[in-house]
Amino acid sequence: MTDPAGRIAGAGMGEARFGALWPGAAESLAAVGVEEETDLIGLDAADLLRRLAGADGRPMPPEAEARLAALIARVGAKVPGPVRIDGPRVRLRPWRSADVRAIGEGINGDPVAMRHFVAPLTGAENEAWCLRMRRGIEERGWGFWVVEVPGVAEAAGVVGLLPISFESWFTPAVEIGWRIRNDLQRRGYAGEAARLALDHGFGLLGLERVVAFTAPENTASWTLMERLGMRRVGDFEHPRVPEGHRLRTQLLYEVRRGEWLSRKG
Ligand SMILES: CC(C)(COP(=O)(O)OP(=O)(O)OC[C@H]1O[C@@H](n2cnc3c(N)ncnc32)[C@H](O)[C@@H]1OP(=O)(O)O)[C@@H](O)C(=O)NCCC(=O)NCCS
């Protein structure tokens, strides 16, 4: 069920995609420090075009701004933050120092919670992962937030939006992801947190689409994708999972802004 058109469109990634913006775009963008799609996060297309015009005098087509804006909408905006988002029961909030241990013991280091990952994280891996999530939120204002359930748990899990850092036929893209402590699962917390994150992503962040992926064996995760109204659009070989591993082939789901907003009516 892989998408052959998507494979072709995504082939070659940075170089090929920038090259399609206008002739010489890849070189011009590199000259102002944009070498990967994720370097576009938080940039404004009109500002970037002004910088490009100053960096070299190559002619750009009239559609240049619209094309750049469309690409930026795939990787996300930068917003003032870090923000806290409150729902009826759960809160998405920025990281605190104490979360590293709580998330390490409750989720990342737990073999049951991590049974659909290649391996639970070691203490050092957990620290590095949490730091990366924390910095991401500090730098761009959004990311994988800590899920707090006031009165129940200060750190029930981690849910949020993240620019995908590997290449595949469907990237560049922002993914939605979720991890909830075993003892707090099946109470609707991930679903509520995910809806808050998607409202934020399609609202303030101006994203055009959000994807999610998981292995076929992870019924909880793909059930949640379907409950959120995400559509299965294909599958892919996850480049960070070793070849031949049972988790290597992953299901890919997506939801687009128009679908999300129209369903909310
Ligand atoms: C996936 C995960 C985040 C879901 O969290 P959760 O808080 O239990 O999810 P919710 O209670 O909001 O449930 C969301 C929907 O999924 C369904 N669901 C949850 N767990 C399920 C399971 N084990 N089997 C079938 N359906 C399940 C719920 O019934 C609910 O659907 P409903 O609204 O029709 O009832 C959680 O199972 C988890 O953290 N797993 C371990 C980490 C992981 O694998 N993360 C995903 C990596 S891709």
Side-chain angles (χ1 to χ4, degrees):
M1 198 170 154
T2 37
D3 176 349
R7 272 184 197 285
I8 291 159
M13 306 314 306
E15 187 59 35
R17 201 178 297 279
F18 291 160
L21 288 168
W22 63 84
E27 294 85 341
S28 303
L29 284 163
V32 296
V34 176
E35 292 183 352
E36 316 266 333
E37 281 92 349
T38 46
D39 293 334
L40 288 168
I41 293 171
L43 299 186
D44 176 83
D47 274 358
L48 187 55
L49 277 185
R50 275 192 287 277
R51 280 163 55 203
L52 288 173
D56 77 5
R58 270 189 249 227
M60 290 176 251
E63 316 79 56
E65 183 173 339
R67 288 183 188 165
L68 261 182
L71 202 50
I72 291 171
R74 294 183 70 167
V75 291
K78 188 183 275 182
V79 293
V83 293
R84 191 181 98 176
I85 306 173
D86 286 296
R89 290 190 303 163
V90 312
R91 167 178 298 159
L92 302 182
R93 62 161 177 81
W95 289 71
R96 299 179 195 138
S97 304
D99 297 326
V100 177
R101 187 166 170 195
I103 296 297
E105 287 175 358
I107 301 176
N108 284 345
D110 181 282
V112 177
M114 296 296 279
R115 67 191 179 284
H116 303 299
F117 291 77
V118 173
L121 303 191
T122 63
E125 287 167 343
N126 173 62
E127 276 178 33
W129 188 86
C130 294
L131 187 64
R132 197 151 51 81
M133 297 307 125
R134 179 179 189 149
R135 288 225 178 107
I137 292 188
E138 284 166 2
E139 280 165 14
R140 69 181 99 82
W142 52 276
F144 271 11
W145 289 275
V146 173
V147 178
E148 182 173 332
V149 185
V152 177
E154 294 230 336
V158 179
V159 170
L161 303 165
L162 203 63
I164 294 176
S165 60
F166 60 80
E167 294 182 355
S168 188
W169 59 264
F170 58 93
T171 61
V174 170
E175 67 159 311
I176 183 162
W178 34 64
R179 300 178 188 183
I180 297 287
R181 249 168 54 186
N182 293 322
D183 57 323
L184 297 176
Q185 289 176 9
R186 309 228 49 175
R187 299 189 190 182
Y189 294 150
E192 184 180 320
R195 287 181 179 89
L196 293 174
L198 288 170
D199 279 343
H200 193 69
F202 291 127
L204 194 61
L205 304 185
L207 294 172
E208 277 302 327
R209 82 171 166 158
V210 172
V211 304
F213 48 86
T214 194
E217 63 172 42
N218 195 345
T219 311
S221 192
W222 59 254
T223 300
L224 175 52
M225 293 170 201
E226 296 193 347
R227 294 291 183 269
L228 292 169
M230 300 185 86
R231 284 174 293 104
R232 189 173 164 199
V233 288
D235 55 359
F236 71 105
E237 302 297 295
H238 197 309
R240 302 255 163 86
V241 177
E243 268 179 54
H245 193 283
R246 68 176 215 288
L247 299 172
R248 170 98 170 167
T249 302
Q250 302 244 326
L251 314 176
L252 180 74
Y253 282 72
E254 74 167 30
V255 59
R256 293 192 173 257
R257 175 164 46 192
E259 296 170 313
W260 182 254
L261 297 179
S262 66
R263 239 195 344 270
K264 287 178 69 83

